[in-house]
Amino acid sequence: MNSLLTGLNKEQQQAVQHTEGPLLILAGAGSGKTKVLTVRIAHLLAQGVNPYEILAITFTNKAAKEMKSRVEGLVGDVANRIWLSTFHSFCAKFLRFEIDSFLGYNSNFTIYDTSDSQAVIKAALKALNLDDKYYPVGAMIAAISDAKNKLLFASDFRKQARDFYQQKVADVYEYYERELRKNNALDFDDLLLVAVKLLQSNATVLDIYSHRFRYVMIDEYQDTNNIQYEIINLIAAKYRNICVVGDEDQSIYAFRGANIENILNFEKDYPDAYTIKLERNYRSTKRILDTANELIRNNKSSKGKKLWTNGEKGEKIKVFNAPTVYDEAEFIVKEIKSKSKSGVDYKDMTILYRTNAQSRVLEEKLLEGNVPYKIYGGMQFFQRKEIKDILAYMNLLNNPNDNHNFYRIINVPKRAIGDKTLEKIAQLANEKGISMLESTKYIDEIPGLRTAVKEAIKSFYKMMNGIYERLDELSVKEVFDEVLIQTKYIDSIEDNKEDRVKNIEELLNSITESERQNPGMSLSEYLDMVSLTSSTDDIEDEENFIKLMTIHSSKGLEFDYVFIAGMEDGLFPSCNFDTSEDEIEEERRLCYVAVTRAKKELYLSHVSERMVWGQMNYMIRPSRFISEMKQGNLDYLSEKNDKLSKKTGTTILFNQEPKRKIENFNPFSLKSVRTSELRNKEKSKYKVGDVVNHIKFGKGKIKKVDEKSLLIDFMTGEKKIALILAEKLLKG
């Protein structure tokens, strides 16, 4: 026992040893929460707890693998008997066992990824004669996802549809749901929704799982959504040995349904809960932590943690104001190359940004500087065409009802099967009430088909049926081999052959490694693993590249040197005139996450001009978050803006009395007031009752004028417009 606790601080030891009853661990960034969770699991096992009685859930496959590896290092192979996975993996595994006959599904269901869902939604819009200009695919997917997060099936959503648009969304949702069930397929949201509905509706199943899992641990609890909250509380209800670990200050996924109230209200849900704060940071310097603490204390939702360290004080945070985005990128690349020359590996540095669009200029300058880089969050390995094709074959073999994947591969490689032929096959399938794949068995019943087409379809069916009949005796690798050999897929590749063959080789490596780690792994288990791979699971520390990613993608990662680009109001925080305080708080938490990724040094950069929707914007303010940081820890850098000022005739960012280089210049000091702000103190030209025209909201009437803002009644509702922006946005 003592050996397990060695190296843990007092609070960490308490978290490990408190095993009975509800436990809330508020774990600040870099406070060693993964170590606490793994040691806590080892402690439970040392106490005689059966590994089958432990359920541990985290949010990424990478985190789950790391946690399982650490537990295995402490307790050995017994770790493999613990249910330790992501939420989606847990639900997929649960449904493989329990879904048969529920809602018409069987256990060989296919998991559709985002691109698969998009294809079905496109088909729905076409079938329903809905214009995707007015009903964009992305908006439909988002609306359906939001409905599922609220535990609503299509029929439930229909009942509460309030207007014409929502009725059309309901039409799309019903079509989408019907197609997925017909194909024996679930999307990512379905894994959670169907799991919770099954637990709620089947008392026997709920009793089995709530009895089995005596100890439930949830990592990143601040990121749980409504469905995940329901699942966990249902399973933990019997024994109430629920341990949740999280940091309300790192809750950044509200846009995809995360509910910060879950962690904020845990002590209300469980009045007998014991709360432990992990505030000692083992990652960052004192200056970085003090800066982060000062920033986040502006949030009302924060529970008052204060990160501290016994480590070094560290360098000041560098704040750089660049004239343009190109200057900003040049500055960042220059600093990166300088650190590389001094012996810092590229892999220990990262550039973070608020939106993916910011990467373009950064990429240009990195290429010019001959700096190796990699972007994360772009096209994933398993989304590449050749990989999707082969996996489509494997998915169809696993689930012969999957018409979506049938359509994908019936002509891959080319078999000269046209759309009209596919329509006839679909008609035959509907008449017989069977899948598209099975209907190819009866191709002779379709009149008017050319002999060559019939033979191609017969050959396809024979091939697929031949593999399917031997599926139980084939390993995943053998299924892969059969698909490649019998389809002659590699021979059919015409463009970028070398790269695409290398990708296929890598898929084989993935299968081989997965089977090595999971002896006896079934085809469905491998396909689940592939389907549930996230965008950051493939980040390898060994690769010596500069890593570029959004701040959202950086969650859970750490780097010696962090550059945060685009620290400007309107971009970060991403806000407009009617942004709520809750949304601003979420943006501030996102900034807090970005800051706390840094171990040694942190750079913040912003620009004086930026192209927005094809128009150059010269009225850019540095992010308010910079002003909220501890100013004594910031080192303001600036360059001459003479050239830009002469070009535009505009005051760029600060008063520039003498045209000179400014060192350690703080734009948030009282002396650094923009001339436009000074002008606002004069009497406003706007009066109550004036009719104005806003570039976005259209015509409106001024209802109120004060020294800082205008309250205007537009057709879309009342909006508050800052006086500093009025001349740019309003036409009298």
Side-chain angles (χ1 to χ4, degrees), residues 86-277:
T86 65
F87 264 107
H88 287 87
S89 295
F90 165 75
C91 288
K93 189 174 180 178
F94 164 74
L95 292 173
R96 294 287 180 199
F97 286 125
E98 307 295 344
I99 200 171
D100 272 333
S101 301
F102 185 66
L103 301 176
Y105 285 103
N106 66 60
S107 60
N108 286 333
F109 58 82
T110 301
I111 301 172
Y112 280 5
D113 62 20
T114 303
S115 65
D116 298 324
S117 295
Q118 289 172 344
V120 180
I121 294 291
K122 286 178 183 176
L125 294 174
K126 186 177 179 181
L128 297 167
N129 292 315
L130 296 175
D131 191 334
D132 60 7
K133 291 180 182 176
Y134 301 103
Y135 304 94
V137 172
M140 295 297 101
I141 289 176
I144 292 169
S145 179
D146 182 64
K148 290 179 179 181
N149 185 43
K150 294 173 180 172
L151 282 75
L152 301 174
F153 284 130
S155 58
D156 306 315
F157 182 82
R158 168 78 67 189
K159 290 173 186 173
Q160 65 172 45
R162 296 186 305 274
D163 52 35
F164 179 80
Y165 181 82
Q166 288 194 347
Q167 289 290 341
K168 292 301 176 186
V169 174
D171 292 342
V172 175
Y173 189 2
E174 286 174 348
Y175 181 102
Y176 179 74
E177 183 178 86
R178 188 167 58 249
E179 283 299 300
L180 261 63
R181 291 186 184 180
K182 184 171 76 175
N183 291 348
N184 193 33
L186 301 167
D187 65 18
F188 294 150
D189 293 316
D190 283 329
L191 291 172
L192 304 179
L193 177 59
V194 174
V196 76
K197 291 289 187 180
L198 201 161
L199 287 168
Q200 289 174 337
S201 63
N202 193 321
T204 303
V205 173
L206 175 60
D207 186 64
I208 290 170
Y209 285 84
S210 62
H211 183 77
R212 172 178 176 171
F213 295 120
R214 285 178 57 202
Y215 297 91
V216 178
M217 283 176 271
I218 311 298
D219 190 17
E220 305 288 3
Y221 192 64
Q222 77 282 346
D223 294 332
T224 53
N225 61 24
N226 297 334
I227 301 182
Q228 292 160 343
Y229 173 87
E230 288 292 328
I231 291 171
I232 289 308
N233 284 283
L234 281 167
I235 291 174
K238 188 175 184 69
Y239 295 107
R240 302 180 79 254
N241 295 325
I242 177 172
C243 167
V244 301
V245 185
D247 182 2
E248 77 285 1
D249 295 331
Q250 295 188 71
S251 178
I252 59 174
Y253 294 117
F255 69 94
R256 66 185 192 197
N259 187 354
I260 193 175
E261 298 299 320
N262 292 347
I263 192 168
L264 295 178
N265 292 335
F266 184 82
E267 291 154 307
K268 291 180 182 176
D269 293 338
Y270 297 92
D272 56 333
Y274 188 68
T275 301
I276 297 171
K277 291 184 180 180

Side-chain angles (χ1 to χ4, degrees), residues 283-284 288 316-318 331-332 335-336 339 344 347-353 546-547 549 551 554 557-565 591-605:
R283 175 187 297 162
S284 307
I288 291 171
K316 284 189 175 185
I317 286 80
K318 307 290 193 303
F331 168 77
I332 292 172
E335 289 295 310
I336 286 170
K339 293 191 181 303
V344 178
K347 66 183 176 64
D348 295 325
M349 296 182 273
T350 187
I351 306 173
L352 306 180
Y353 35 74
I546 291 289
K547 297 175 178 66
M549 67 189 82
I551 301 168
S554 75
L557 305 176
E558 59 182 40
F559 302 89
D560 286 346
Y561 304 90
V562 172
F563 297 82
I564 308 174
C591 188
Y592 176 84
V593 166
V595 169
T596 53
R597 297 313 91 197
K599 295 165 70 175
K600 294 181 178 179
E601 288 186 39
L602 175 65
Y603 289 77
L604 313 175
S605 59

Side-chain angles (χ1 to χ4, degrees), residues 391-450:
L391 290 175
Y393 272 101
M394 297 170 76
N395 270 302
L396 186 57
L397 287 164
N398 184 63
N399 173 21
N401 291 321
D402 188 354
N403 292 339
H404 170 70
N405 276 313
F406 173 89
Y407 274 110
R408 180 178 184 99
I409 51 90
I410 185 62
N411 261 319
V412 178
K414 294 174 183 176
R415 298 186 177 92
I417 301 169
D419 290 343
K420 288 185 179 179
T421 301
L422 287 173
E423 286 175 12
K424 291 176 180 178
I425 295 173
Q427 186 179 349
L428 180 64
N430 288 331
E431 288 172 358
K432 289 183 176 290
I434 57 179
S435 70
M436 295 279 286
L437 176 60
E438 191 176 354
S439 69
T440 60
K441 181 180 177 182
Y442 305 98
I443 199 67
D444 284 332
E445 295 182 20
I446 300 177
L449 293 183
R450 289 185 296 112

